[in-house]
Amino acid sequence: MSTTASALHSEHEHHPYGWRRWLFSTNHKDIGTLYLLFALTMFFLGGLSAMAIRAELLYPGLQMLDPDLYNNILTNHALIMIFGAVMPAGAGIANWMIPLMIGAPDMALPRLNNLSFWILPAAAMMLVLSFIVPFFPGGGTQVNTGWTLYPPLSVQVGMSMDFLIFAIHLLGISSVLASINIIVTILNMRAPGMTMFKMPIFCWAWFVTAFLLILVVPIIAGGVTMLLFDRHFGTSFFNAAGGGDPVLFQHLFWFFGHPEVYILILPAIGALAQVIPAFSRKPLFGYKSTVGSMLVIATLGMVVWAHHQYTIGMSLGTVSYFMIGTILISIPVGLIIFNFIATMWRGAMTFETPMLFATAMVLLFSFGGLTGVMLAVIPADVQYHDSMFVVAHFHYVLIPGAIYGLFAAVFYWLPKWTGHMYDEKLAKIFFWVNMISFNITFFPQHFLGLAGMPRRIIDYNVIFAEFNFLSSVAGLIYGFSHLLFLYIIIKAIRGGQQAKNKVWEGATGLEWELPSPPPFHSWETAPKIK
């Protein structure tokens, strides 16, 4: 091979082009983009299942689904949205922004980064197979357990449950590998002079989230492995007839499931800690207390899991402990909200789309937290348990708390990612349609739950018809509004007004985000500290 050909071959090895660029990439920006595109695809798939649910509940009686298919769609909606959409979207933004924010040339473990992404499409394929396998001859029963997968029902479900178990394993492996990468990058690759308490809050949010993932994902992996053994190898971990305990699975699931809520929310809080100071033209109020609050949330979040299980027959002392612990979490969450409001206070605020989503998150997530405190109280929760009130609470926490935070981040950094400005007018229309239809969809569900309508039920009494009709119509508008979001992104990627170096004029840059000067962005040329 000639010297020139050898040089070209070497260059292509290090800088693959075409489809190889995406398949073999170890560049944090490319992998971040892959994560975001995957999350967007799964977001629409999960949204489609949500719209099918709301279309079925438009009127009393059975419209187009049977009970098993309804519960199958419900199960897939939850798992796709949580594991396929929100978590990969957060990981995509982390991949893009963390190295840039800490002055690192790339993630610490680039090949591991590539692997952690490419596990996701395999997991997504298994998730989809778990939905469609029952429709083929000999495919067995559908996964009608809900996303909690409680035995004994999950022990009896057919082959589709095995696909789901392996999908959860793959998703967990991907999450743990990505988390290791984030922790190693933050600990080892900060620019000289950037101490931990000079990092942007977004990096802190992901640092805490990564530790949470590493601690709790093995628990759900163990739980579903035990479930697999009960299904195929004659064990009785959860089979009461064989001396097992079905409630044990609930404990294993919720020991993962409750911290998972904070795994979804903390990256969004980190994004808000960048957006709100930028559009308030002020440094973040209470940097260290915000970091401390995130650490307290992560710690308390791991020890209050059984507030999802008040009705299983625990002792009074046990449920009292979980009630007090759950209510205590509202203190650090409230402190973060206070810091955000104090940052806005008397700031020179402007309300571009990222700030609109950030403001909506602060307001609506606070309301979701309020209903969470209601559900924490034992006598009240016994009444609310498994009702539509819980569905309303959950969506008021996760849609404003996680998805609105991600929307704020996407609109904030989209000019940086694409090099083009997005259409601000269309983005504001998207925000208002989305936010109003979200509230009309989920707010009436509080009343349905308080009036006694159970969740995960395909049919309902005619007395619930009006609120369900309202909720379904608004839900369909809410779902379709995301097509506008897709259009805005495609339009920005394809071209448009060139993004300036300082995209948001006075609201740009590290001067509003860090309590210190910005770091050097070249690892090799940065001056060494004696």
Side-chain angles (χ1 to χ4, degrees), residues 288-411:
K288 287 187 177 178
S289 64
T290 302
V291 172
S293 294
M294 289 194 291
L295 292 167
V296 172
I297 287 167
T299 307
L300 282 177
M302 287 190 65
V303 294
V304 295
W305 73 91
H307 62 218
H308 296 271
Q309 301 166 252
Y310 283 156
T311 58
I312 64 169
M314 293 181 287
S315 69
L316 180 61
T318 307
V319 290
S320 299
Y321 156 77
F322 284 111
M323 178 179 77
I324 292 163
T326 305
I327 292 170
L328 285 175
I329 288 185
S330 62
I331 297 170
V333 173
L335 181 56
I336 289 173
I337 297 294
F338 173 82
N339 286 350
F340 287 161
I341 293 169
T343 304
M344 295 181 204
W345 182 252
R346 301 189 75 175
M349 286 199 293
T350 54
F351 288 95
E352 287 85 355
T353 308
M355 189 60 167
L356 287 175
F357 275 110
T359 311
M361 177 179 168
V362 169
L363 292 170
L364 298 176
F365 178 64
S366 299
F367 180 76
L370 193 65
T371 55
V373 173
M374 292 169 68
L375 286 161
V377 179
I378 302 158
D381 182 76
V382 172
Q383 305 301 318
Y384 305 145
H385 197 81
D386 275 335
S387 75
M388 289 296 288
F389 187 89
V390 176
V391 176
H393 156 71
F394 188 76
H395 285 86
Y396 261 90
V397 168
L398 279 193
I399 292 178
I403 294 174
Y404 277 15
L406 294 174
F407 281 158
V410 166
F411 283 113

Side-chain angles (χ1 to χ4, degrees), residues 49-349:
S49 56
M51 290 171 76
I53 292 164
R54 280 317 325 168
E56 176 58 50
L57 295 175
L58 190 62
Y59 300 108
L62 305 188
Q63 317 304 320
M64 54 186 179
L65 306 175
D66 63 73
D68 274 344
L69 179 56
Y70 176 82
N71 282 327
N72 193 3
I73 291 171
L74 201 76
T75 305
N76 272 270
H77 165 65
L79 292 170
I80 287 170
M81 281 301 196
I82 291 169
F83 294 108
V86 178
M87 288 173 72
I93 297 170
N95 259 292
W96 248 101
M97 300 312 301
I98 288 175
L100 301 180
M101 286 179 164
I102 64 172
D106 205 310
M107 298 293 281
L109 308 163
R111 291 176 188 272
L112 191 73
N113 205 12
N114 180 286
L115 177 64
S116 68
F117 170 75
W118 283 111
I119 290 171
L120 283 179
M125 202 178 298
M126 288 201 173
L127 254 180
V128 173
L129 280 171
S130 77
F131 178 74
I132 63 174
V133 156
F135 297 106
F136 292 98
T141 52
Q142 300 178 61
V143 181
N144 51 12
T145 58
W147 82 291
T148 50
L149 313 177
Y150 282 176
L153 195 57
S154 52
V155 177
Q156 297 156 8
V157 171
M159 188 184 2
S160 52
M161 179 58 73
D162 298 324
F163 279 112
L164 198 56
I165 288 169
F166 286 118
I168 289 169
H169 273 299
L170 287 176
L171 291 160
I173 291 166
S174 171
S175 297
V176 169
L177 294 181
S179 299
I180 291 168
N181 209 347
I182 286 167
I183 290 169
V184 174
T185 302
I186 288 172
L187 288 180
N188 293 335
M189 298 191 70
R190 299 191 309 281
M194 177 172 273
T195 64
M196 288 294 281
F197 280 102
K198 289 181 182 176
M199 284 196 309
I201 293 285
F202 182 78
C203 300
W204 263 109
W206 258 108
F207 188 65
V208 175
T209 302
F211 271 106
L212 264 182
L213 276 163
I214 290 169
L215 288 168
V216 302
V217 163
I219 309 302
I220 188 69
V224 294
T225 304
M226 291 156 77
L227 189 60
L228 195 70
F229 272 61
D230 273 13
R231 288 168 55 77
H232 296 292
F233 300 108
T235 58
S236 292
F237 292 112
F238 310 127
N239 182 3
D245 183 8
V247 171
L248 172 61
F249 182 85
Q250 295 189 27
H251 282 290
L252 292 172
F253 179 86
W254 286 115
F255 190 82
F256 157 81
H258 189 73
E260 173 66 16
V261 175
Y262 301 110
I263 287 164
L264 300 175
I265 289 168
L266 283 173
I269 287 174
L272 253 63
Q274 308 305 127
V275 171
I276 289 174
F279 292 96
S280 301
R281 278 71 174 182
K282 284 174 63 183
L284 180 72
F285 181 91
Y287 176 98
K288 287 187 177 178
S289 64
T290 302
V291 172
S293 294
M294 289 194 291
L295 292 167
V296 172
I297 287 167
T299 307
L300 282 177
M302 287 190 65
V303 294
V304 295
W305 73 91
H307 62 218
H308 296 271
Q309 301 166 252
Y310 283 156
T311 58
I312 64 169
M314 293 181 287
S315 69
L316 180 61
T318 307
V319 290
S320 299
Y321 156 77
F322 284 111
M323 178 179 77
I324 292 163
T326 305
I327 292 170
L328 285 175
I329 288 185
S330 62
I331 297 170
V333 173
L335 181 56
I336 289 173
I337 297 294
F338 173 82
N339 286 350
F340 287 161
I341 293 169
T343 304
M344 295 181 204
W345 182 252
R346 301 189 75 175
M349 286 199 293

Side-chain angles (χ1 to χ4, degrees), residues 502-516:
K502 292 197 169 185
V503 178
W504 303 111
E505 296 300 336
T508 55
L510 296 167
E511 66 268 32
W512 305 115
E513 297 168 4
L514 295 175
S516 67

